Amino acid sequence: MVKENCGVVGIYSEGDVNVIPMVIDALRALQHRGQEAWGLAIPNKAPLKRLGLVSTSSNEFKKITEEYASHSAIGHVRYSTVGKSDLESAQPLKVKDLCVAHNGTISNVEELSNLVGGCTFTPQNASDTLVAAQRLVSLITENGKLGSALSILKNEMVGSFCFTFLSDDDAVFAARDPKGFRPMVMGHKEDGNVHIVTSESSAISAIGAKLVRDVVPGELIKISKDGMETEMFSDDKNRAHCSFEFTYFAQPSSKMEGTNIYLARKRIGQFLAKKYPINDADVVIPVPDSARPAALGFAQELGIQFDEGLLKDRYSKKGPLRSFIEPHQSDRVEINRWIIPIREVIEGKHIVVIDDSLVRGTSSKAIIKALRRSGARKISMMVTYPPIKFPCYAGIDFPSQEELATFDGGKDVTDKEMIEKVRNDIGADFLGYNDAENLANAVGIPKDSMCFTCATGDYTPLGITPNFNKMKQMKSV
Ligand code: SF4
């Protein structure tokens, strides 16, 4: 199984403006969604791909802008786990006359590969996007249109997808999976009559455009010299918006499903404080950076002082990166070395430390150790996301069950016992998790329109019963 969690963009200027500088700006605004590689594609040319952060290639921007000058383009930032972190696996990919950029995970890639002759897939050299693109191109050949091809492909694929496509006859397309697991929005800029479709509205703001709306799950958008056209390739009304985007993954300035992420996180903190009204705490501090709004909401709700007790070393190489999406455990440990506790804020106090997730527990354990070394009298840890107990097959890289902090050797334990085990492992005096109901209420989206599979183990939104042994095998490749 290949897992990716990425950011995509497609830009078309009806006013014939060169959109490449905008694609680069948009990809920089999506950098939090993938930091291993980036790329862009224009019609009738091989895609450009680079390893690392977009800014790493800044000395090439002028040349790229000139050599790839085009009024239509798509782009991609990549985060991979099992798939190789090499240039070949970077996106966009090109199959015949179609370039493809993908955010999501296709978990039945081996089966899908059989539909295109089975020649592409090997566990060592796997690319779910390439297999899906090959299948899509063969379906377009058989059925004529991209919309008809997607309406067939959606039934063949298990997983989540937001695609941007670019055809050699100069059209940009965007498609969002029928359940809306991953986010996708569209925007417009008057100057140059520029249309943009992308993973998050942070990219729309970055190019000076205005958010128009979310792309509807099951919608296919086409932008060409004839303007914008839209059609539905699925009439599924059931939604499964990833709840983890709201607590952790998305950029705080982004707006998803009509909700601003920063405000949603602040409300999540307020709702968490109602669930755990810890009134004897001296100070509430966030784990930097994404838990900051929730910590502020928590502190304001209870009238407790909010402060920064942990800072990231902004000058370090690893400091600005996010520990969860770094692929190697050693990198995560390295990142924790760059979180600096402020003794003057911590010493002698009952600290409520707010984090947005607790996956393997590595970061939490290191942070609690750092707080103790700085003289914390008592440490209560609050996690804005419910306990993660199951792997995600819809686009977020969680490890296999065995690697999760909540895993207790496969024993049948109660939630209370599981939380006590995690509390003990990370070394906190108290550990409080959010629950799905509370989180959905805080975000303002009905719980049954959100995905909580990684917390519940209910894979109904994906229509599968996963084989965890297989997952484990694939993880160890
Ligand atoms: S399983 Fe969890 S991380 Fe994956 S899409 Fe669902 S809520 Fe998001």
Side-chain angles (χ1 to χ4, degrees):
M1 174 170 171
V2 180
K3 292 173 74 74
E4 291 178 347
N5 193 16
C6 309
V8 296
V9 64
I11 304 184
Y12 192 102
S13 164
E14 288 193 71
D16 206 21
V17 168
N18 179 7
V19 299
I20 298 305
M22 293 183 235
V23 170
I24 291 171
D25 283 344
L27 292 177
R28 292 175 76 168
L30 296 173
Q31 194 77 83
H32 58 288
R33 300 186 72 84
Q35 301 167 348
E36 287 181 43
W38 68 279
L40 57 83
I42 62 168
N44 300 300
K45 197 161 176 154
L48 172 129
K49 300 176 189 183
R50 293 288 181 269
L51 289 177
L53 303 177
V54 180
S55 59
T56 310
S57 309
S58 57
N59 59 346
E60 285 189 87
F61 286 169
K62 189 167 178 291
K63 193 167 158 247
I64 292 169
T65 300
E66 286 164 7
E67 279 183 16
Y68 286 79
S70 172
H71 61 249
S72 60
I74 60 170
H76 188 264
V77 286
R78 172 176 165 83
Y79 167 59
S80 73
T81 54
V82 178
K84 285 196 257 173
S85 305
D86 58 13
L87 259 191
E88 200 190 330
S89 310
Q91 297 184 32
L93 303 172
K94 188 160 193 181
V95 176
K96 295 193 174 164
D97 63 350
L98 194 70
C99 290
V100 182
H102 173 219
N103 170 209
T105 296
I106 297 160
S107 55
N108 66 333
V109 64
E110 198 167 354
E111 290 86 337
L112 203 59
S113 175
N114 291 333
L115 297 172
V116 285
C119 53
T120 305
F121 179 84
T122 65
Q124 289 76 26
N125 187 22
S127 167
D128 56 347
T129 306
L130 180 58
V131 173
Q134 288 176 330
R135 179 60 182 152
L136 192 65
V137 167
S138 77
L139 286 168
I140 294 170
T141 309
E142 286 164 27
N143 296 275
K145 294 217 159 165
L146 183 53
S148 320
L150 279 168
S151 66
I152 297 168
L153 188 67
K154 73 170 170 53
N155 296 328
E156 296 176 348
M157 287 193 314
V158 173
S160 65
F161 61 87
C162 279
F163 286 121
T164 53
F165 305 106
L166 178 86
S167 60
D168 275 348
D169 64 358
D170 189 29
V172 166
F173 299 85
R176 189 177 183 194
D177 77 60
K179 296 272 195 299
F181 283 104
R182 307 264 65 86
M184 193 169 224
V185 284
M186 58 195 273
H188 183 258
K189 186 177 173 178
E190 294 290 337
D191 186 13
N193 197 3
V194 173
H195 302 274
I196 173 171
V197 275
T198 184
S199 300
E200 287 190 38
S201 62
S202 56
I204 294 177
S205 307
I207 68 157
K210 282 197 177 134
L211 173 68
V212 174
R213 64 172 171 85
D214 291 284
V215 174
V216 179
E219 183 178 19
L220 170 66
I221 288 166
K222 178 184 179 187
I223 314 158
S224 68
K225 63 178 175 21
D226 301 321
M228 180 178 285
E229 299 159 63
T230 173
E231 67 179 284
M232 299 301 294
F233 62 89
S234 166
D235 56 7
D236 189 344
K237 293 283 180 285
N238 297 314
R239 301 290 180 249
H241 302 305
C242 172
S243 52
F244 202 59
E245 292 272 1
F246 289 89
T247 58
Y248 174 85
F249 213 67
Q251 221 262 6
S253 71
S254 289
K255 203 169 176 182
M256 276 175 195
E257 320 309 329
T259 299
N260 169 262
I261 297 296
Y262 173 82
L263 294 177
R265 286 182 187 160
K266 213 168 149 194
R267 279 198 308 275
I268 289 168
Q270 289 166 337
F271 278 58
L272 195 59
K274 286 180 188 154
K275 183 175 163 117
Y276 298 106
I278 302 183
N279 289 309
D280 66 336
D282 297 304
V283 63
V284 178
I285 65 168
V287 173
D289 287 313
S290 41
R292 193 167 282 124
L296 189 58
F298 191 98
Q300 285 179 348
E301 181 66 27
L302 296 181
I304 300 170
Q305 183 195 344
F306 167 88
D307 218 329
E308 300 278 0
L310 298 164
L311 291 178
K312 277 191 177 174
D313 179 357
R314 64 161 73 171
Y315 302 109
S316 76
K317 182 169 163 280
K318 290 290 183 185
L321 298 183
R322 306 173 75 178
S323 67
F324 173 65
I325 65 166
E326 280 284 292
H328 307 296
Q329 187 80 357
S330 58
D331 287 338
R332 275 190 294 275
V333 172
E334 182 70 11
I335 281 167
N336 288 328
R337 290 205 189 110
W338 299 109
I339 293 183
I340 306 166
I342 312 295
R343 176 174 281 275
E344 287 72 8
V345 175
I346 296 162
E347 195 164 25
K349 293 182 183 154
H350 176 185
I351 308 282
V352 175
V353 56
I354 311 281
D355 206 350
D356 45 41
S357 59
L358 204 160
V359 183
R360 296 169 180 85
T362 325
S363 302
S364 309
K365 199 171 175 174
I367 282 162
I368 285 166
K369 251 191 197 165
L371 291 172
R372 292 235 188 265
R373 273 203 305 269
S374 302
R377 177 171 52 83
K378 185 176 176 185
I379 303 167
S380 299
M381 180 158 230
M382 297 288 154
V383 187
T384 63
Y385 199 76
I388 293 168
K389 295 187 267 184
F390 300 90
C392 171
Y393 289 77
I396 300 275
D397 168 37
F398 290 138
S400 58
Q401 268 190 311
E402 291 82 348
E403 295 169 88
L404 294 170
T406 51
F407 185 70
D408 201 2
K411 287 183 233 153
D412 195 11
V413 294
T414 63
D415 275 0
K416 204 172 159 200
E417 288 167 333
M418 178 271 298
I419 292 169
E420 178 54 19
K421 179 240 171 223
V422 178
R423 184 203 64 74
N424 195 44
D425 287 350
I426 63 172
D429 296 302
F430 178 80
L431 174 63
Y433 278 102
N434 208 351
D435 62 81
E437 191 84 44
N438 206 35
L439 199 159
N441 286 340
V443 172
I445 294 178
K447 184 170 147 250
D448 58 7
S449 292
M450 297 183 94
C451 176
F452 283 101
T453 297
C454 49
T456 62
D458 175 8
Y459 287 85
T460 314
L462 281 173
I464 56 165
T465 308
N467 178 345
F468 288 118
N469 288 333
K470 188 176 169 191
M471 173 75 182
K472 189 182 163 197
Q473 283 160 11
M474 292 304 293
K475 274 288 180 184
S476 63
V477 166

